Amino acid sequence: MIIISYLYIGIDDTDSPDGMCTTYLACHIIRKLKENDISLIDYPRLIRLNPFARFKTRGNGGVSFKIANDDKANLAKQIVLDEVAALSMFDCDNTNPGVVFYDGEITKEMQDYAFSAIYSFITIDEAEEFGKSVGCEIHKFKKGRGIIGSIAAISLPLTDYTYELLAYRIPENYGTERHIDYDSVIEMDNETFPDTFENVDYSEKYIAIEPKTPCPVLYGIRSNNVESLNRAREIVKVNEPIEDYCIFLTNQHTDMHIQKADKISEMKQFGCYEITATVKDRPHVIDGGHMFFTVFDESGEIECGAYEPTKNFRKTVSYLREGDILKLYGGIGGQNTFNIEKFQVIELNDVEYKNPICECGKRMTSAGKNKGFKCKKCGKRISSSQKVNIKINRSLIKGQFYETPVSARRHLSKPLCRM
Ligand code: ATP
């Protein structure tokens, strides 16, 4: 069979906090397509978009896949529309599915649109106008907000990518406790890390492959390659039936949401950035256990936060001192605080300025402004007000990266094992 062109299919906004998952719906549709002798070309894609998008259910992910644009394309479109209509969580106000079909080349302007869906906010009208301008066939259910993510999921180029294997439960078990053998998850992690990653958060004793929501997903394993996912699937044992599995190609854990900022003044609310800056003050904790410190450069300063859910990461942050130079990665949330996802130590301030030690061995005290120092023990005075430099030991290491724990990590954040 000669394939003349592809039909791209994008689906988004079908789920609600109470159930469903757009990846599950995609997997279900893919099965129906197969029953009709329609096969996918390449893996289906799970594309994570702007982490600050207002109407996201959880991780702001849209799904896309492609098939041959042949005499079965219309049947495929009908199957997709019927299944989205049948399975989406329409009762939820915030569930507004969108389905997009596209049968041309993915153009530069479509790629730019996809990046703007990661970096900024797009309205339904803007997405519709853009989609129509490039020739997308657009289907909106209710408000149809899902078209924003559907067009982006079709259009995003993936220069860096990972894979996620998702195992789905049978519907009778939705909302009930999941039965995953945790020892087998640890064994899988031991055998397949770092090809697979984000499986277990050992510091928080947390099995990260298991969702905590009532969605159809039994577990999800993330990886750099399909071989290790297949190996991982063999190792993980569960005590409940699995309806289906699906492997998605994804932009998860690629840092695709991070833009490089040359100076602090370029950074805007709801943007995610990499910035090099100097620590201005020692980190401090406020009620609720959130930790804050300020960094500056020649253009301005910004408050940085390591929030309570980042757990032990706050301990690492607490070792920072004024004068440390860091490369920071994170996003600016609603409070205008730069939420740190990870940082690299560029320079450590390992010098402390102290009063001199007297000949008698006691540290001297100030004798008054510009009046030098005096010793309270033996009475000796010196006229110089110059403090002495003392090299101090630091717990942080120059050049090293430090990251938030798996339990607090964004879908898009690149873990250090992938750096
Ligand atoms: P899940 O991860 O469980 O599938 P979700 O967190 O992806 O759920 P959705 O139900 O898909 O949440 O809702 C996200 C909504 O935000 C979608 O309608 C999507 O089109 C829209 N959206 C995505 N990116 C942007 C953006 N940059 N600006 C505005 N809206 C966006």
Side-chain angles (χ1 to χ4, degrees):
M1 184 180 54
I2 299 168
I3 296 168
I4 298 154
S5 66
Y6 299 129
L7 176 69
Y8 294 87
I9 298 164
I11 307 170
D12 198 4
D13 208 346
T14 64
D15 54 7
S16 79
D18 296 330
M20 188 42 64
C21 168
T22 305
T23 67
Y24 171 76
L25 185 47
C27 178
H28 174 81
I29 289 171
I30 292 164
R31 210 167 46 225
K32 290 254 162 193
L33 292 175
K34 244 185 227 155
E35 284 164 18
N36 286 277
D37 277 335
I38 302 170
S39 310
L40 255 53
I41 295 161
D42 301 337
Y43 288 95
R45 308 187 337 149
L46 166 58
I47 303 298
R48 299 287 178 182
L49 301 167
N50 191 334
F52 292 111
R54 201 171 141 215
F55 295 101
K56 67 179 184 168
T57 310
R58 283 174 286 267
N60 197 13
V63 167
S64 72
F65 49 87
K66 69 180 178 191
I67 58 172
N69 187 22
D70 58 18
D71 53 359
K72 288 210 162 158
N74 281 336
L75 172 63
K77 286 181 182 177
Q78 202 49 56
I79 291 171
V80 172
L81 294 173
D82 288 349
E83 296 307 322
V84 170
L87 293 182
S88 297
M89 301 293 282
F90 286 109
D91 287 346
C92 173
D93 280 351
N94 274 342
T95 299
N96 293 285
V99 172
V100 170
F101 301 119
Y102 177 73
D103 64 6
E105 288 288 305
I106 305 296
T107 60
K108 170 79 170 53
E109 64 175 331
M110 290 173 78
Q111 296 182 350
D112 292 346
Y113 167 93
F115 282 112
S116 66
I118 294 177
Y119 299 146
S120 60
F121 301 116
I122 297 173
T123 64
I124 302 172
D125 287 347
E126 284 165 348
E128 186 160 14
E129 192 181 326
F130 176 78
K132 284 184 176 158
S133 77
V134 296
C136 291
E137 182 183 323
I138 286 171
H139 295 266
K140 297 197 296 184
F141 298 78
K142 289 169 63 186
K143 290 182 190 152
R145 180 171 290 108
I147 66 168
I148 303 168
S150 297
I151 301 173
I154 287 173
S155 307
L156 186 76
L158 287 179
T159 42
D160 186 16
Y161 52 83
T162 61
Y163 296 89
E164 179 158 8
L165 166 80
L166 288 158
Y168 298 106
R169 318 181 77 187
I170 55 170
E172 297 88 296
N173 285 338
Y174 291 174
T176 64
E177 193 191 336
R178 290 171 172 85
H179 295 285
I180 301 173
D181 175 350
Y182 291 162
D183 289 342
S184 73
V185 178
I186 309 273
E187 188 189 334
M188 178 274 285
D189 188 57
N190 285 337
E191 280 206 29
T192 61
F193 178 88
D195 282 343
T196 68
F197 43 83
E198 313 276 296
N199 299 315
V200 184
D201 186 330
Y202 291 99
S203 63
E204 296 304 318
K205 299 186 174 51
Y206 170 87
I207 299 290
I209 69 167
E210 177 183 12
K212 302 292 172 272
T213 59
C215 71
V217 176
L218 179 58
Y219 65 75
I221 304 175
R222 298 167 179 210
S223 170
N224 287 317
N225 55 64
V226 171
E227 297 72 41
S228 59
L229 285 182
N230 288 329
R231 178 82 194 102
R233 175 163 79 169
E234 282 166 14
I235 301 170
V236 172
K237 303 275 176 298
V238 298
N239 295 315
E240 65 170 81
I242 289 179
E243 186 186 271
D244 211 346
Y245 292 94
C246 194
I247 293 179
F248 287 85
L249 181 70
T250 168
N251 64 342
Q252 290 173 162
H253 305 300
T254 61
D255 268 356
M256 211 177 238
H257 61 313
I258 302 281
Q259 301 177 78
K260 201 163 185 233
D262 290 325
K263 36 187 194 228
I264 288 173
S265 59
E266 285 172 13
M267 296 163 68
K268 299 195 180 72
Q269 194 180 39
F270 302 126
C272 299
Y273 300 99
E274 173 197 319
I275 180 82
T276 300
T278 306
V279 177
K280 183 179 173 192
D281 55 6
R282 297 271 173 110
H284 61 280
V285 180
I286 63 157
D287 279 355
H290 311 305
M291 181 167 275
F292 296 99
F293 61 101
T294 302
V295 295
F296 67 95
D297 66 9
E298 68 292 347
S299 76
E301 60 181 49
I302 188 163
E303 185 183 55
C304 300
Y307 285 87
E308 191 281 330
T310 65
K311 303 290 177 195
N312 264 344
F313 180 63
R314 292 170 301 164
K315 181 131 197 250
T316 311
V317 167
S318 74
Y319 297 141
L320 292 170
R321 292 184 74 221
E322 60 280 1
D324 288 346
I325 301 176
L326 309 176
K327 189 187 280 183
L328 299 139
Y329 301 74
I332 304 179
Q335 308 298 317
N336 268 321
T337 298
F338 188 39
N339 303 342
I340 306 306
E341 293 171 14
K342 58 179 171 262
F343 67 85
Q344 183 186 22
V345 176
I346 304 298
E347 287 296 340
L348 278 176
N349 171 16
D350 59 359
V351 173
E352 204 159 41
Y353 297 95
K354 287 207 160 169
N355 295 349
I357 305 241
C358 179
E359 287 164 0
C360 73
K362 174 99 181 145
R363 187 158 313 272
M364 300 178 94
T365 55
S366 169
K369 200 168 180 220
N370 297 326
K371 288 188 179 155
F373 297 97
K374 63 181 181 201
C375 177
K376 279 192 175 158
K377 190 174 168 202
C378 70
K380 185 176 167 63
R381 285 177 172 265
I382 53 173
S383 56
S384 165
S385 295
Q386 190 76 42
K387 291 195 173 198
V388 290
N389 302 353
I390 295 175
K391 201 164 162 34
I392 51 166
N393 285 329
R394 299 294 307 273
S395 310
L396 302 171
I397 298 167
K398 184 176 163 177
Q400 189 145 318
F401 279 92
Y402 298 90
E403 65 184 345
T404 50
V406 171
S407 56
R409 206 165 295 151
R410 283 190 197 290
H411 292 297
L412 278 163
S413 277
K414 192 190 273 198
L416 299 188
C417 66
R418 291 202 76 239
M419 299 288 280

mmCIF file with all atom_site columns, all heavy atoms in Angstrom, residues 138-158:
data_model
loop_
_atom_site.group_PDB
_atom_site.id
_atom_site.type_symbol
_atom_site.label_atom_id
_atom_site.label_alt_id
_atom_site.label_comp_id
_atom_site.label_asym_id
_atom_site.label_entity_id
_atom_site.label_seq_id
_atom_site.pdbx_PDB_ins_code
_atom_site.Cartn_x
_atom_site.Cartn_y
_atom_site.Cartn_z
_atom_site.occupancy
_atom_site.B_iso_or_equiv
_atom_site.pdbx_formal_charge
_atom_site.auth_seq_id
_atom_site.auth_comp_id
_atom_site.auth_asym_id
_atom_site.auth_atom_id
_atom_site.pdbx_PDB_model_num
ATOM 1   N N   . ILE A 1 138 ? -12.087 20.881 12.780 1.00 0.00 ? 138 ILE A N   1
ATOM 2   C CA  . ILE A 1 138 ? -12.223 21.090 14.224 1.00 0.00 ? 138 ILE A CA  1
ATOM 3   C C   . ILE A 1 138 ? -13.579 20.612 14.726 1.00 0.00 ? 138 ILE A C   1
ATOM 4   O O   . ILE A 1 138 ? -14.607 20.944 14.139 1.00 0.00 ? 138 ILE A O   1
ATOM 5   C CB  . ILE A 1 138 ? -12.021 22.596 14.534 1.00 0.00 ? 138 ILE A CB  1
ATOM 6   C CG1 . ILE A 1 138 ? -10.536 22.916 14.387 1.00 0.00 ? 138 ILE A CG1 1
ATOM 7   C CG2 . ILE A 1 138 ? -12.519 22.965 15.915 1.00 0.00 ? 138 ILE A CG2 1
ATOM 8   C CD1 . ILE A 1 138 ? -10.203 24.357 14.453 1.00 0.00 ? 138 ILE A CD1 1
ATOM 9   N N   . HIS A 1 139 ? -13.566 19.839 15.815 1.00 0.00 ? 139 HIS A N   1
ATOM 10  C CA  . HIS A 1 139 ? -14.828 19.371 16.420 1.00 0.00 ? 139 HIS A CA  1
ATOM 11  C C   . HIS A 1 139 ? -14.819 19.750 17.887 1.00 0.00 ? 139 HIS A C   1
ATOM 12  O O   . HIS A 1 139 ? -13.954 19.299 18.642 1.00 0.00 ? 139 HIS A O   1
ATOM 13  C CB  . HIS A 1 139 ? -14.954 17.858 16.275 1.00 0.00 ? 139 HIS A CB  1
ATOM 14  C CG  . HIS A 1 139 ? -15.067 17.425 14.846 1.00 0.00 ? 139 HIS A CG  1
ATOM 15  N ND1 . HIS A 1 139 ? -16.273 17.213 14.221 1.00 0.00 ? 139 HIS A ND1 1
ATOM 16  C CD2 . HIS A 1 139 ? -14.106 17.207 13.918 1.00 0.00 ? 139 HIS A CD2 1
ATOM 17  C CE1 . HIS A 1 139 ? -16.054 16.867 12.958 1.00 0.00 ? 139 HIS A CE1 1
ATOM 18  N NE2 . HIS A 1 139 ? -14.745 16.854 12.755 1.00 0.00 ? 139 HIS A NE2 1
ATOM 19  N N   . LYS A 1 140 ? -15.774 20.596 18.261 1.00 0.00 ? 140 LYS A N   1
ATOM 20  C CA  . LYS A 1 140 ? -15.847 21.045 19.652 1.00 0.00 ? 140 LYS A CA  1
ATOM 21  C C   . LYS A 1 140 ? -17.047 20.372 20.332 1.00 0.00 ? 140 LYS A C   1
ATOM 22  O O   . LYS A 1 140 ? -18.128 20.327 19.769 1.00 0.00 ? 140 LYS A O   1
ATOM 23  C CB  . LYS A 1 140 ? -16.024 22.561 19.707 1.00 0.00 ? 140 LYS A CB  1
ATOM 24  C CG  . LYS A 1 140 ? -14.852 23.309 19.100 1.00 0.00 ? 140 LYS A CG  1
ATOM 25  C CD  . LYS A 1 140 ? -14.817 24.765 19.518 1.00 0.00 ? 140 LYS A CD  1
ATOM 26  C CE  . LYS A 1 140 ? -15.990 25.545 19.029 1.00 0.00 ? 140 LYS A CE  1
ATOM 27  N NZ  . LYS A 1 140 ? -15.919 26.978 19.362 1.00 0.00 ? 140 LYS A NZ  1
ATOM 28  N N   . PHE A 1 141 ? -16.823 19.839 21.519 1.00 0.00 ? 141 PHE A N   1
ATOM 29  C CA  . PHE A 1 141 ? -17.909 19.292 22.332 1.00 0.00 ? 141 PHE A CA  1
ATOM 30  C C   . PHE A 1 141 ? -18.078 20.254 23.498 1.00 0.00 ? 141 PHE A C   1
ATOM 31  O O   . PHE A 1 141 ? -17.094 20.647 24.120 1.00 0.00 ? 141 PHE A O   1
ATOM 32  C CB  . PHE A 1 141 ? -17.551 17.893 22.848 1.00 0.00 ? 141 PHE A CB  1
ATOM 33  C CG  . PHE A 1 141 ? -17.327 16.878 21.746 1.00 0.00 ? 141 PHE A CG  1
ATOM 34  C CD1 . PHE A 1 141 ? -16.135 16.859 21.028 1.00 0.00 ? 141 PHE A CD1 1
ATOM 35  C CD2 . PHE A 1 141 ? -18.311 15.938 21.440 1.00 0.00 ? 141 PHE A CD2 1
ATOM 36  C CE1 . PHE A 1 141 ? -15.925 15.925 20.025 1.00 0.00 ? 141 PHE A CE1 1
ATOM 37  C CE2 . PHE A 1 141 ? -18.099 14.992 20.432 1.00 0.00 ? 141 PHE A CE2 1
ATOM 38  C CZ  . PHE A 1 141 ? -16.905 14.990 19.726 1.00 0.00 ? 141 PHE A CZ  1
ATOM 39  N N   . LYS A 1 142 ? -19.310 20.632 23.819 1.00 0.00 ? 142 LYS A N   1
ATOM 40  C CA  . LYS A 1 142 ? -19.570 21.707 24.791 1.00 0.00 ? 142 LYS A CA  1
ATOM 41  C C   . LYS A 1 142 ? -18.750 22.938 24.365 1.00 0.00 ? 142 LYS A C   1
ATOM 42  O O   . LYS A 1 142 ? -18.793 23.322 23.206 1.00 0.00 ? 142 LYS A O   1
ATOM 43  C CB  . LYS A 1 142 ? -19.269 21.256 26.219 1.00 0.00 ? 142 LYS A CB  1
ATOM 44  C CG  . LYS A 1 142 ? -20.296 20.249 26.745 1.00 0.00 ? 142 LYS A CG  1
ATOM 45  C CD  . LYS A 1 142 ? -19.863 19.592 28.040 1.00 0.00 ? 142 LYS A CD  1
ATOM 46  C CE  . LYS A 1 142 ? -19.700 20.525 29.211 1.00 0.00 ? 142 LYS A CE  1
ATOM 47  N NZ  . LYS A 1 142 ? -19.132 19.830 30.395 1.00 0.00 ? 142 LYS A NZ  1
ATOM 48  N N   . LYS A 1 143 ? -17.935 23.506 25.271 1.00 0.00 ? 143 LYS A N   1
ATOM 49  C CA  . LYS A 1 143 ? -17.164 24.704 24.852 1.00 0.00 ? 143 LYS A CA  1
ATOM 50  C C   . LYS A 1 143 ? -16.006 24.356 23.921 1.00 0.00 ? 143 LYS A C   1
ATOM 51  O O   . LYS A 1 143 ? -15.409 25.227 23.295 1.00 0.00 ? 143 LYS A O   1
ATOM 52  C CB  . LYS A 1 143 ? -16.601 25.414 26.084 1.00 0.00 ? 143 LYS A CB  1
ATOM 53  C CG  . LYS A 1 143 ? -17.659 26.088 26.925 1.00 0.00 ? 143 LYS A CG  1
ATOM 54  C CD  . LYS A 1 143 ? -17.014 26.809 28.094 1.00 0.00 ? 143 LYS A CD  1
ATOM 55  C CE  . LYS A 1 143 ? -18.071 27.274 29.062 1.00 0.00 ? 143 LYS A CE  1
ATOM 56  N NZ  . LYS A 1 143 ? -17.584 27.374 30.434 1.00 0.00 ? 143 LYS A NZ  1
ATOM 57  N N   . GLY A 1 144 ? -15.622 23.101 23.919 1.00 0.00 ? 144 GLY A N   1
ATOM 58  C CA  . GLY A 1 144 ? -14.568 22.661 22.993 1.00 0.00 ? 144 GLY A CA  1
ATOM 59  C C   . GLY A 1 144 ? -13.176 23.153 23.318 1.00 0.00 ? 144 GLY A C   1
ATOM 60  O O   . GLY A 1 144 ? -12.310 23.228 22.444 1.00 0.00 ? 144 GLY A O   1
ATOM 61  N N   . ARG A 1 145 ? -12.914 23.413 24.615 1.00 0.00 ? 145 ARG A N   1
ATOM 62  C CA  . ARG A 1 145 ? -11.593 23.938 24.980 1.00 0.00 ? 145 ARG A CA  1
ATOM 63  C C   . ARG A 1 145 ? -10.472 22.977 24.564 1.00 0.00 ? 145 ARG A C   1
ATOM 64  O O   . ARG A 1 145 ? -9.341  23.397 24.318 1.00 0.00 ? 145 ARG A O   1
ATOM 65  C CB  . ARG A 1 145 ? -11.535 24.213 26.493 1.00 0.00 ? 145 ARG A CB  1
ATOM 66  C CG  . ARG A 1 145 ? -10.189 24.761 26.937 1.00 0.00 ? 145 ARG A CG  1
ATOM 67  C CD  . ARG A 1 145 ? -10.166 25.238 28.385 1.00 0.00 ? 145 ARG A CD  1
ATOM 68  N NE  . ARG A 1 145 ? -10.957 26.432 28.529 1.00 0.00 ? 145 ARG A NE  1
ATOM 69  C CZ  . ARG A 1 145 ? -12.132 26.484 29.147 1.00 0.00 ? 145 ARG A CZ  1
ATOM 70  N NH1 . ARG A 1 145 ? -12.620 25.407 29.725 1.00 0.00 ? 145 ARG A NH1 1
ATOM 71  N NH2 . ARG A 1 145 ? -12.796 27.593 29.211 1.00 0.00 ? 145 ARG A NH2 1
ATOM 72  N N   . GLY A 1 146 ? -10.785 21.706 24.481 1.00 0.00 ? 146 GLY A N   1
ATOM 73  C CA  . GLY A 1 146 ? -9.767  20.715 24.139 1.00 0.00 ? 146 GLY A CA  1
ATOM 74  C C   . GLY A 1 146 ? -9.102  20.934 22.790 1.00 0.00 ? 146 GLY A C   1
ATOM 75  O O   . GLY A 1 146 ? -8.026  20.386 22.533 1.00 0.00 ? 146 GLY A O   1
ATOM 76  N N   . ILE A 1 147 ? -9.693  21.773 21.938 1.00 0.00 ? 147 ILE A N   1
ATOM 77  C CA  . ILE A 1 147 ? -9.035  21.991 20.638 1.00 0.00 ? 147 ILE A CA  1
ATOM 78  C C   . ILE A 1 147 ? -7.692  22.697 20.815 1.00 0.00 ? 147 ILE A C   1
ATOM 79  O O   . ILE A 1 147 ? -6.783  22.542 19.998 1.00 0.00 ? 147 ILE A O   1
ATOM 80  C CB  . ILE A 1 147 ? -9.925  22.771 19.622 1.00 0.00 ? 147 ILE A CB  1
ATOM 81  C CG1 . ILE A 1 147 ? -10.186 24.201 20.093 1.00 0.00 ? 147 ILE A CG1 1
ATOM 82  C CG2 . ILE A 1 147 ? -11.221 22.025 19.354 1.00 0.00 ? 147 ILE A CG2 1
ATOM 83  C CD1 . ILE A 1 147 ? -10.805 25.088 19.015 1.00 0.00 ? 147 ILE A CD1 1
ATOM 84  N N   . ILE A 1 148 ? -7.561  23.467 21.927 1.00 0.00 ? 148 ILE A N   1
ATOM 85  C CA  . ILE A 1 148 ? -6.286  24.177 22.171 1.00 0.00 ? 148 ILE A CA  1
ATOM 86  C C   . ILE A 1 148 ? -5.160  23.142 22.249 1.00 0.00 ? 148 ILE A C   1
ATOM 87  O O   . ILE A 1 148 ? -4.136  23.242 21.558 1.00 0.00 ? 148 ILE A O   1
ATOM 88  C CB  . ILE A 1 148 ? -6.348  24.995 23.487 1.00 0.00 ? 148 ILE A CB  1
ATOM 89  C CG1 . ILE A 1 148 ? -7.512  25.978 23.461 1.00 0.00 ? 148 ILE A CG1 1
ATOM 90  C CG2 . ILE A 1 148 ? -5.019  25.701 23.736 1.00 0.00 ? 148 ILE A CG2 1
ATOM 91  C CD1 . ILE A 1 148 ? -7.814  26.617 24.836 1.00 0.00 ? 148 ILE A CD1 1
ATOM 92  N N   . GLY A 1 149 ? -5.378  22.147 23.107 1.00 0.00 ? 149 GLY A N   1
ATOM 93  C CA  . GLY A 1 149 ? -4.355  21.123 23.305 1.00 0.00 ? 149 GLY A CA  1
ATOM 94  C C   . GLY A 1 149 ? -4.269  20.135 22.152 1.00 0.00 ? 149 GLY A C   1
ATOM 95  O O   . GLY A 1 149 ? -3.191  19.617 21.856 1.00 0.00 ? 149 GLY A O   1
ATOM 96  N N   . SER A 1 150 ? -5.402  19.886 21.485 1.00 0.00 ? 150 SER A N   1
ATOM 97  C CA  . SER A 1 150 ? -5.393  18.911 20.380 1.00 0.00 ? 150 SER A CA  1
ATOM 98  C C   . SER A 1 150 ? -4.500  19.395 19.233 1.00 0.00 ? 150 SER A C   1
ATOM 99  O O   . SER A 1 150 ? -3.715  18.622 18.669 1.00 0.00 ? 150 SER A O   1
ATOM 100 C CB  . SER A 1 150 ? -6.802  18.702 19.836 1.00 0.00 ? 150 SER A CB  1
ATOM 101 O OG  . SER A 1 150 ? -7.616  18.157 20.832 1.00 0.00 ? 150 SER A OG  1
ATOM 102 N N   . ILE A 1 151 ? -4.630  20.678 18.893 1.00 0.00 ? 151 ILE A N   1
ATOM 103 C CA  . ILE A 1 151 ? -3.800  21.210 17.787 1.00 0.00 ? 151 ILE A CA  1
ATOM 104 C C   . ILE A 1 151 ? -2.323  21.159 18.197 1.00 0.00 ? 151 ILE A C   1
ATOM 105 O O   . ILE A 1 151 ? -1.455  20.786 17.407 1.00 0.00 ? 151 ILE A O   1
ATOM 106 C CB  . ILE A 1 151 ? -4.222  22.656 17.414 1.00 0.00 ? 151 ILE A CB  1
ATOM 107 C CG1 . ILE A 1 151 ? -5.694  22.704 17.000 1.00 0.00 ? 151 ILE A CG1 1
ATOM 108 C CG2 . ILE A 1 151 ? -3.327  23.211 16.295 1.00 0.00 ? 151 ILE A CG2 1
ATOM 109 C CD1 . ILE A 1 151 ? -6.247  24.117 16.786 1.00 0.00 ? 151 ILE A CD1 1
ATOM 110 N N   . ALA A 1 152 ? -2.063  21.503 19.480 1.00 0.00 ? 152 ALA A N   1
ATOM 111 C CA  . ALA A 1 152 ? -0.670  21.484 19.955 1.00 0.00 ? 152 ALA A CA  1
ATOM 112 C C   . ALA A 1 152 ? -0.118  20.051 19.960 1.00 0.00 ? 152 ALA A C   1
ATOM 113 O O   . ALA A 1 152 ? 1.042   19.824 19.594 1.00 0.00 ? 152 ALA A O   1
ATOM 114 C CB  . ALA A 1 152 ? -0.593  22.098 21.349 1.00 0.00 ? 152 ALA A CB  1
ATOM 115 N N   . ALA A 1 153 ? -0.948  19.093 20.375 1.00 0.00 ? 153 ALA A N   1
ATOM 116 C CA  . ALA A 1 153 ? -0.477  17.696 20.453 1.00 0.00 ? 153 ALA A CA  1
ATOM 117 C C   . ALA A 1 153 ? -0.124  17.157 19.069 1.00 0.00 ? 153 ALA A C   1
ATOM 118 O O   . ALA A 1 153 ? 0.806   16.370 18.907 1.00 0.00 ? 153 ALA A O   1
ATOM 119 C CB  . ALA A 1 153 ? -1.539  16.823 21.108 1.00 0.00 ? 153 ALA A CB  1
ATOM 120 N N   . ILE A 1 154 ? -0.843  17.610 18.055 1.00 0.00 ? 154 ILE A N   1
ATOM 121 C CA  . ILE A 1 154 ? -0.523  17.215 16.675 1.00 0.00 ? 154 ILE A CA  1
ATOM 122 C C   . ILE A 1 154 ? 0.765   17.890 16.208 1.00 0.00 ? 154 ILE A C   1
ATOM 123 O O   . ILE A 1 154 ? 1.581   17.295 15.503 1.00 0.00 ? 154 ILE A O   1
ATOM 124 C CB  . ILE A 1 154 ? -1.691  17.630 15.733 1.00 0.00 ? 154 ILE A CB  1
ATOM 125 C CG1 . ILE A 1 154 ? -2.905  16.721 15.931 1.00 0.00 ? 154 ILE A CG1 1
ATOM 126 C CG2 . ILE A 1 154 ? -1.250  17.637 14.272 1.00 0.00 ? 154 ILE A CG2 1
ATOM 127 C CD1 . ILE A 1 154 ? -4.151  17.179 15.165 1.00 0.00 ? 154 ILE A CD1 1
ATOM 128 N N   . SER A 1 155 ? 0.945   19.156 16.603 1.00 0.00 ? 155 SER A N   1
ATOM 129 C CA  . SER A 1 155 ? 1.943   20.025 15.950 1.00 0.00 ? 155 SER A CA  1
ATOM 130 C C   . SER A 1 155 ? 3.330   20.029 16.587 1.00 0.00 ? 155 SER A C   1
ATOM 131 O O   . SER A 1 155 ? 4.293   20.450 15.941 1.00 0.00 ? 155 SER A O   1
ATOM 132 C CB  . SER A 1 155 ? 1.438   21.473 15.956 1.00 0.00 ? 155 SER A CB  1
ATOM 133 O OG  . SER A 1 155 ? 0.147   21.558 15.401 1.00 0.00 ? 155 SER A OG  1
ATOM 134 N N   . LEU A 1 156 ? 3.441   19.617 17.845 1.00 0.00 ? 156 LEU A N   1
ATOM 135 C CA  . LEU A 1 156 ? 4.721   19.799 18.551 1.00 0.00 ? 156 LEU A CA  1
ATOM 136 C C   . LEU A 1 156 ? 5.817   18.899 17.985 1.00 0.00 ? 156 LEU A C   1
ATOM 137 O O   . LEU A 1 156 ? 5.656   17.676 17.951 1.00 0.00 ? 156 LEU A O   1
ATOM 138 C CB  . LEU A 1 156 ? 4.549   19.497 20.046 1.00 0.00 ? 156 LEU A CB  1
ATOM 139 C CG  . LEU A 1 156 ? 5.799   19.809 20.869 1.00 0.00 ? 156 LEU A CG  1
ATOM 140 C CD1 . LEU A 1 156 ? 5.956   21.304 21.088 1.00 0.00 ? 156 LEU A CD1 1
ATOM 141 C CD2 . LEU A 1 156 ? 5.776   19.083 22.200 1.00 0.00 ? 156 LEU A CD2 1
ATOM 142 N N   . PRO A 1 157 ? 6.960   19.488 17.568 1.00 0.00 ? 157 PRO A N   1
ATOM 143 C CA  . PRO A 1 157 ? 8.082   18.636 17.160 1.00 0.00 ? 157 PRO A CA  1
ATOM 144 C C   . PRO A 1 157 ? 8.767   18.080 18.409 1.00 0.00 ? 157 PRO A C   1
ATOM 145 O O   . PRO A 1 157 ? 8.850   18.758 19.420 1.00 0.00 ? 157 PRO A O   1
ATOM 146 C CB  . PRO A 1 157 ? 9.008   19.616 16.421 1.00 0.00 ? 157 PRO A CB  1
ATOM 147 C CG  . PRO A 1 157 ? 8.694   20.957 16.993 1.00 0.00 ? 157 PRO A CG  1
ATOM 148 C CD  . PRO A 1 157 ? 7.273   20.919 17.493 1.00 0.00 ? 157 PRO A CD  1
ATOM 149 N N   . LEU A 1 158 ? 9.237   16.837 18.319 1.00 0.00 ? 158 LEU A N   1
ATOM 150 C CA  . LEU A 1 158 ? 9.895   16.239 19.489 1.00 0.00 ? 158 LEU A CA  1
ATOM 151 C C   . LEU A 1 158 ? 11.361  15.967 19.174 1.00 0.00 ? 158 LEU A C   1
ATOM 152 O O   . LEU A 1 158 ? 11.688  14.942 18.583 1.00 0.00 ? 158 LEU A O   1
ATOM 153 C CB  . LEU A 1 158 ? 9.195   14.932 19.869 1.00 0.00 ? 158 LEU A CB  1
ATOM 154 C CG  . LEU A 1 158 ? 7.830   15.053 20.530 1.00 0.00 ? 158 LEU A CG  1
ATOM 155 C CD1 . LEU A 1 158 ? 7.246   13.681 20.842 1.00 0.00 ? 158 LEU A CD1 1
ATOM 156 C CD2 . LEU A 1 158 ? 7.910   15.882 21.800 1.00 0.00 ? 158 LEU A CD2 1
#
